[in-house]
Every structure is written in C-alpha cells, then in structure tokens.
C-alpha cells in the first residue's frame, strides 16, 4: 500500500475524530495544523536520538526544525489537504482507537527523546 494513501487515511481518521469526538469548529484547519505539530515533534525527536547516538548535532541551528516543517507543510497541503483530498478515504479511514494510539506513541516517544537531551541538544 502506498504511504501517501496510509497517511491520507490517518488524516481522515484524525479529521473525523476532531470533528465528531472533540467537536472542533474548524476540524479541517485543526487536522492540518495538528499533523504539522506531530511532524515537528518527530523531527526534534529524531534530532535528539541522532545526537544521543552519534554525539554530534544533526542541524547547525534550531531554526532548521521550522524549515523542515515548512518543507513538509507545503507538499502536505497540496497532496493531502487541498480540495480535501484525504476525505476520499472516509469509508476506509483509520479507526479512532488507532489514531489515538499513533498520536500517543508520537507524543510519548518524541517527548521522551526531547526531554532526555533538551529541545535543541547539547550544542545549541
């Protein structure tokens, strides 16, 4: 299965979770921003794990994390969110329990890695 299709199904499940369970007034924008936040957390976690294992920083500046979010955010909008393309998978959306599990795993793993080393590592 294509990773983009899996991601669209996750976004669709997240959208319906925010709309139906969390009763968000702006579920489309909330889904887009929440996925960017999860990517940001994952990036900083990857950077922290890299620094723990290799002993050197992956990026020369903490601003690189924001640049990575921008680089991910633009294609994310055009391939997934523009025209609400991810809603094509509403019949095959990721179940709520899986969406919550994935979000908790990303939060817990990212925060554990980030708090072990600090948000910008030892060298910044």
């Amino acid at each position: 299965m294509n990773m983009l299709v899996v991601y669209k199904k996750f976004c669709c499940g997240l959208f319906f979770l925010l709309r139906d369970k969390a009763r968000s007034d702006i579920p489309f924008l909330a889904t887009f921003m929440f996925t960017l936040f999860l990517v940001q957390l994952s990036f900083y976690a990857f950077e922290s794990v890299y620094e723990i294992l290799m002993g050197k920083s992956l990026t020369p500046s903490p601003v690189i994390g924001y640049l990575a979010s921008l680089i991910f955010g633009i294609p994310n909008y055009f391939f997934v969110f523009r025209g609400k393309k991810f809603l094509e998978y509403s019949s095959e959306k990721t179940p709520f329990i899986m969406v919550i599990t994935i979000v908790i795993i990303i939060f817990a793993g990212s925060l554990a890695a980030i708090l072990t080393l600090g948000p910008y590592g030892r060298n910044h």
Side-chain angles (χ1 to χ4, degrees), residues 69-83:
S69 188
L70 179 70
I71 290 170
F72 174 79
I74 292 171
N76 185 31
Y77 174 76
F78 284 112
F79 291 128
V80 180
F81 289 94
R82 184 173 168 203

Side-chain angles (χ1 to χ4, degrees), residues 47 50-51 54-62 117 120-124:
E47 183 180 18
Y50 182 85
E51 189 165 338
M54 301 299 178
K56 59 182 178 176
S57 179
L58 183 64
T59 59
S61 168
L117 195 59
Y120 302 117
R122 296 184 197 115
N123 299 327
H124 297 289

